[in-house]
Amino acid sequence: MTVRYTSIVSNRELSAIDRLLAGANDALRTIAAPAGRPARDNPAGLIKEPKLSASQKSHAAGLMRVNHAGEVAAQALYKGHAAVARDTSIEQQMQEAAAEEFDHLAWCEQRIQELGEEPSRLSPVWYAGAFAIGAASGVLGDKWSLGFIAETERQVVEHLDSHLDGLPVEDARSRAIVEQMRDEEVEHGQNAINAGAADLPGPVKRLMRITARIMTRTAYWV
Ligand SMILES: [Fe+2]
Ligand SMILES: [Fe+2]
């Protein structure tokens, strides 16, 4: 007797499952420490570890934990946008930005550990929230999702500038990382504008600012 096996999963369903698994893999790779090897060298390179007081050290670690949480959210945002992007060149741009953001994530994690602390325990929350926001704004259409990215990156640059003011001057290792991240976030924002980002309505920008404030204040401590 011959037994015929019929596939209970269609090709279309398979590719949906593939995408889901790839998405879950991205999420785990982002949330679970260690993040894995960054594609590029850590900008702190061979800069000497500074002598910091206990309070300077924990302040620097807190700020780097905030930056790390921001990078967890950036991964999720870009992946969320890429998942629903309509234009393939925009999807490609999102994936490239996500790859650079992944280096930022890994560099921040390395620095937090050098400072003797751990990344935010709430990383899964930051990831899930940002993925949902990314996908939701992507569903509205590429020009809005690009607008969202441009505004996010603009606010992130402001943040990083404030961190450069707040980090101990002696902590050249953290500063080198934040400076390079800052330059690349400017570029991400500009790329989104060049690709046709719409200017978001004022209330949306304000809501984004409030959400970011909640995340940054929490991640400094936990
Ligand atoms: Fe980044
Ligand atoms: Fe960025």
Side-chain angles (χ1 to χ4, degrees):
M1 191 180 80
T2 51
V3 181
R4 288 186 60 200
Y5 292 96
T6 47
S7 169
I8 51 165
V9 187
S10 72
N11 279 346
R12 214 167 119 199
E13 281 166 334
L14 246 186
S15 84
I17 292 170
D18 277 351
R19 286 178 74 160
L20 200 71
L21 287 176
N25 186 42
D26 287 338
L28 280 175
R29 186 167 170 249
T30 303
I31 294 165
R37 278 183 73 80
R40 295 170 297 158
D41 289 339
N42 188 321
L46 299 174
I47 298 174
K48 247 182 91 198
E49 186 60 53
K51 282 202 170 44
L52 300 173
S53 68
S55 70
Q56 280 179 318
K57 216 169 162 180
S58 84
H59 181 53
L63 293 180
M64 293 310 280
R65 187 160 43 241
V66 169
N67 294 336
H68 180 272
E71 294 300 335
V72 168
Q75 280 301 305
L77 265 185
Y78 277 108
K79 294 286 177 184
H81 283 296
V84 295
R86 291 164 202 190
D87 183 325
T88 48
S89 72
I90 289 178
E91 185 192 343
Q92 179 65 25
Q93 185 186 325
M94 308 275 178
Q95 296 287 9
E96 281 167 18
E100 285 198 354
E101 306 285 13
F102 188 78
D103 288 346
H104 299 176
L105 177 92
W107 299 337
C108 286
E109 185 188 300
Q110 284 168 0
R111 186 62 192 141
I112 296 168
Q113 282 165 353
E114 286 171 9
L115 291 162
E117 297 202 15
E118 292 298 325
S120 172
R121 288 195 294 277
L122 298 174
S123 289
V125 178
W126 312 137
Y127 193 94
F131 189 91
I133 294 172
S137 75
V139 166
L140 297 175
D142 287 344
K143 76 170 188 171
W144 293 109
S145 83
L146 288 164
F148 190 81
I149 285 178
E151 177 60 21
T152 304
E153 296 285 7
R154 205 179 60 75
Q155 293 189 14
V156 169
V157 170
E158 281 177 17
H159 249 290
L160 295 177
D161 279 337
S162 78
H163 283 193
L164 284 169
D165 289 338
L167 278 168
V169 223
E170 302 87 338
D171 189 359
R173 289 188 66 79
S174 297
R175 303 184 74 84
I177 295 172
V178 174
E179 275 163 14
Q180 176 146 350
M181 281 166 53
R182 184 201 178 279
D183 291 349
E184 292 180 1
E185 312 304 10
V186 170
E187 222 174 278
H188 297 159
Q190 195 53 53
N191 289 346
I193 292 168
N194 296 346
D199 191 26
L200 299 185
V204 176
K205 291 182 187 173
R206 278 194 291 283
L207 185 67
M208 288 166 71
R209 221 172 259 284
I210 294 167
T211 315
R213 199 172 305 146
I214 295 171
M215 192 186 88
T216 53
R217 296 216 171 144
T218 313
Y220 182 85
W221 301 106
V222 277

